[in-house]
Amino acid sequence: MNRQIHTSFIEVLPWEDVIFKRIFPLLPLTTQFLLRRVDHQYYNCITEYFKKSLTCNIVINRKLMFSETAFHVLIDGATNLRTFKVHDSAKQNCNSQITKGFQLTDSLIEGILKTNANLHTLDLSNCINLTNSTARNVSKLCSHIQHLAITNCLNIDREGASYISQMTNMKHLYLNGCHHIDENSIVQIVKSCSSLLDIGLARLHSITDEALTEIAHGCLHLLSLNIAQCYKETGRVC
């Protein structure tokens, strides 16, 4: 009697050239975690994929529970990240990505920065537990950073802005809703980061025409500037 042998795709396809590049990036993160539970071979394959990934996108919503254990599974061992993003799909609560038992903290982010020095895109929007320590660590540990989004990171203030001003390779910077970053800090940043292409300053109520004039004169390559709800600016920029 002939016995049918079932072969898994991870047994016949090259991992790095096909599976890691063409298949796993198309799967939701939840599916990737479920595959780890199929058998030992899938577990090893997914673990190796997490370690070698260039991009990490964490999408959290009200239906998806995300624990600190899951975070470490995803991040521990990763040394090649170029892009790290946390996406909060529940916009009405800027802290909704911090679910039961899990908080994205300065120390967790520091661990990523220490092992991924070539990171160039970091999106931590709505991670309201982060403080100036994260800004300091980014400036110290990731000299190649070109894209930083800390929208609604309310604990980052003028001290954090002083660290951001040291990231002179910056091209895309989003500080929307960071109410404690004042106008003088913004001027300091644009004077140091003259290669900026995009700046998000929405809801920074201290921004005036003087700051916008400094931006216009200092960032000659600027393509996009978001100043929505910056009520002190009048439009009279020279």
Side-chain angles (χ1 to χ4, degrees), residues 180-196:
H180 300 300
I181 296 180
D182 59 24
E183 180 179 59
N184 292 333
S185 299
I186 297 301
V187 170
Q188 180 185 10
I189 289 171
V190 299
K191 284 183 175 179
S192 302
C193 306
S194 58
S195 298
L196 280 165

Side-chain angles (χ1 to χ4, degrees), residues 138-206:
V138 175
S139 68
K140 182 174 67 174
L141 299 171
C142 294
S143 59
H144 301 288
I145 199 78
Q146 295 185 10
H147 179 125
L148 178 66
I150 54 171
T151 293
N152 295 327
C153 291
L154 305 179
N155 292 319
I156 296 179
D157 55 24
R158 60 194 309 174
E159 179 190 345
S162 70
Y163 297 124
I164 293 172
S165 69
Q166 298 171 24
M167 306 175 197
T168 54
N169 293 319
M170 190 74 69
K171 295 185 183 299
H172 309 274
L173 179 62
Y174 305 97
L175 307 175
N176 306 299
C178 295
H179 303 304
H180 300 300
I181 296 180
D182 59 24
E183 180 179 59
N184 292 333
S185 299
I186 297 301
V187 170
Q188 180 185 10
I189 289 171
V190 299
K191 284 183 175 179
S192 302
C193 306
S194 58
S195 298
L196 280 165
L197 301 175
D198 300 292
I199 309 176
L201 303 176
R203 304 184 302 284
L204 268 64
H205 303 313
S206 68

Side-chain angles (χ1 to χ4, degrees), residues 79-135:
T79 58
N80 298 303
L81 287 175
R82 301 295 185 271
T83 298
F84 179 80
K85 296 181 179 181
V86 176
H87 294 283
D88 176 13
S89 62
K91 298 299 182 185
Q92 53 271 57
N93 180 356
C94 67
N95 196 28
S96 61
Q97 87 272 11
I98 301 174
T99 56
K100 294 177 182 178
F102 175 67
Q103 294 186 350
L104 193 56
T105 62
D106 293 321
S107 60
L108 288 175
I109 296 300
E110 182 180 9
I112 296 170
L113 301 178
K114 281 182 174 179
T115 55
N116 294 276
N118 291 319
L119 203 68
H120 64 63
T121 297
L122 184 62
D123 188 341
L124 302 172
S125 297
N126 305 324
C127 299
I128 65 172
N129 285 297
L130 300 182
T131 71
N132 294 324
S133 294
T134 287

